Amino acid sequence: MTQYMPTRRQLLTMIGQTAGATAMYQAMSSMGFAATSNYQGPVELAGAKTGRKVVILGAGLAGLTAAYELRKAGYEVKVLEYQNRGGGRSWTINGGDSFTELGGHEVDCKFTSGYLNPGPWRLPIHHYALFDYCKKFNVALQPFIMKNNKAYLHNSQAFEGKPQRIGDVEADVRGYTSELLAKSLRQGALDESVSAEDQEKLLEGLKGWGVLDRNYRYVKSDELGSHRGWDVLPGGGLMPKEVSSSPIAFGPLLNSHLWHQLYAFNEYDHAPALFEPVGGMGKLGDAFTEKTRDLIRFNARVFKIEQGENQVTVHYEDRTGGSDTYSEKADWCICTIPLSILSQLEVDVSDAKKKAIAAVPYASAFKVALEFKRRFWEQDEWIMGGISYTDLPIVQIAYPSYNMFSDGPAVVQAAYDTYTAGKNYTYSFNTLTPQERILAALEFGSQIHPQYKEEFISGTSCAWHRIPWTLGCYGQWTEDLRAQHYDTLCEIDGRIVLAGEHCSHIPAWQEGAILSGLDAIRRLDARENA
């Protein structure tokens, strides 16, 4: 076998992609490269003085969390919501649903089975506040499969465009990394970092972890089959003897960059266990809405927020028709309107607050879901849930974690991206019509699953920059923006305080929205009772 030696940077990256941050840090420390949901339970409020009123703008999770808790504490609460439903981006598109995006295109869904979560679609187990409310509101949850070794990693320019199984790539990266580290140890390259005694322990560990042979090589062997898989599976009776699978050659594997795609599975927010509401993420938004429905005025388009020393007045109109305008007066206002919308409204706050509102861009994101006649990914390829990644503009294919092994139609999330590796496919997809987005996902996905076109029934999509009530997906902070504007954005300004995922350190996640809502009402309640 021709020796293929990676650079030190490539080796470090491979370790990090395969083993995660801890192993990456340990390896970097050995080589001299590294130096050495705060949710605490139900909110406790002092409570309202008699007749004190709060108007909340937006019936997403931040606004409805605030409404639910404030009413419990004795406040009079009114929620104004632009849409005809609550839940905000905690939304599920089912068969029969439709909406109009910017540009006038109608997006409809004709699914007979399954759904698309256009916004949030998975719940990390460390999002403690969210799970607390799921339990409180009886939201049924089921496991969400993020990583499945049978799913694919795909580079259209490598291996003649043939996708590779995640488990195969991960096993081979781990094996080759172990072989290279073992070689470095045996050649004395790490003598200054690792003692002789520790070197022996490390070599033994690498041999087992990487499935190396007695010469510390990562090669095909009977033992490798029990870790990487088999070309011929173990059988019974007089069936053929099992045959171990063969590793992908090191050079092509390294140059394919497939191991970069492994990183998504090592992110803290994607670590198991993850969950999803039974029936779609909209069930979570529905549960919050049911607890507060009598407080909400739907179809209310806010166009002006003004405040005086003792009162806030919110001006709005009924967006279903008519020229009448309305006003809602309150002692306090909690505004959860996305900054992409709020920056276009007339808001009576300080100049610094206005600059903060206008400073935060919103991420572009798109999703496409396709319904197929049968679950061919399960039946033909034994992919039970999980996500395949590709360098194609669809970026990823997510297989449903529900109704496995069933017959009949099923829905795949066939494209999703926010921003990937220096490329941003979302703007390209945003320029397409809804039907063009479906056709693009179908065409690209066929390179990974040839069954696509034959099994296709229908599709739907969501391009977040074309959604009129958000004009984007989530607040996209940078370190510089946070240093300049975050505290100002979150501070109470007179009688107005902002909340939402954009007012959190975990933007884009529902946990951030809930925590922001809780933090806002704690500070408001403290100000009220000072």
Side-chain angles (χ1 to χ4, degrees), residues 34-48:
T36 300
S37 165
N38 60 1
Y39 179 70
Q40 301 299 316
V43 65
E44 295 182 5
L45 303 179

Side-chain angles (χ1 to χ4, degrees), residues 118 340 361-367 395 416-420 423-431 437 462-467 470-476 508:
S340 48
Y362 266 53
S364 177
F366 74 92
K367 286 186 181 180
V395 180
Y416 171 45
D417 190 31
T418 53
Y419 181 77
T420 302
K423 300 176 181 178
N424 196 334
Y425 297 119
T426 61
Y427 295 117
S428 298
F429 266 81
N430 285 347
T431 64
R437 293 196 288 266
C462 177
W464 278 100
H465 267 163
R466 301 179 75 96
I467 299 299
T470 59
L471 302 180
C473 191
Y474 57 86
Q476 198 166 37

Side-chain angles (χ1 to χ4, degrees), residues 114-131:
Y115 50 80
L116 170 65
N117 291 316
W121 54 306
R122 47 201 168 185
L123 311 177
I125 192 60
H126 56 273
H127 285 186
Y128 306 118
L130 187 147
F131 279 96

Side-chain angles (χ1 to χ4, degrees), residues 162-273:
K162 181 179 178 180
Q164 305 296 310
R165 300 279 192 178
I166 288 172
D168 292 350
V169 173
E170 186 171 51
D172 293 349
V173 172
R174 183 171 60 243
Y176 287 128
T177 301
S178 298
E179 178 180 336
L180 288 165
L181 285 175
K183 183 177 293 184
S184 296
L185 283 167
R186 298 177 75 203
Q187 292 176 349
L190 300 179
D191 286 351
E192 294 183 3
S193 302
V194 185
S195 68
E197 181 180 354
D198 286 344
Q199 285 187 36
E200 291 301 318
K201 294 177 181 177
L202 183 55
L203 279 170
E204 190 62 27
L206 289 171
K207 189 174 182 180
W209 188 62
V211 197
L212 308 181
D213 68 7
R214 63 181 183 179
N215 295 316
Y216 300 97
R217 297 176 304 168
Y218 180 67
V219 293
K220 181 176 180 178
S221 66
D222 290 341
E223 185 179 4
L224 182 61
S226 64
H227 292 264
R228 190 184 187 276
W230 311 89
D231 285 342
V232 178
L233 292 168
L238 298 179
M239 291 180 178
K241 185 179 182 301
E242 66 268 16
V243 176
S244 171
S245 60
S246 301
I248 302 168
F250 184 30
L253 175 62
L254 189 65
N255 289 323
S256 73
H257 298 289
L258 293 182
W259 41 282
H260 284 292
Q261 297 173 353
L262 290 171
Y263 182 73
F265 303 116
N266 286 325
E267 291 180 346
Y268 182 64
D269 284 329
H270 297 159

Side-chain angles (χ1 to χ4, degrees), residues 22 28 75 94 107 112 135-136 141 149 176 210 294 300 329 336 341 356-357 379 393 433 474 494:
T22 301
M28 289 177 71
Y75 289 88
N94 293 284
V107 180
T112 60
K135 183 176 181 180
K136 190 177 299 184
L141 302 175
N149 280 2
Y176 287 128
D294 59 314
K329 297 182 183 297
T336 73
I341 302 294
I357 291 170
Q379 298 163 2
T433 67
Y474 57 86

Side-chain angles (χ1 to χ4, degrees), residues 86-98:
R89 281 160 281 184
S90 298
W91 175 30
T92 297
I93 300 175
N94 293 284
D97 292 343
S98 64

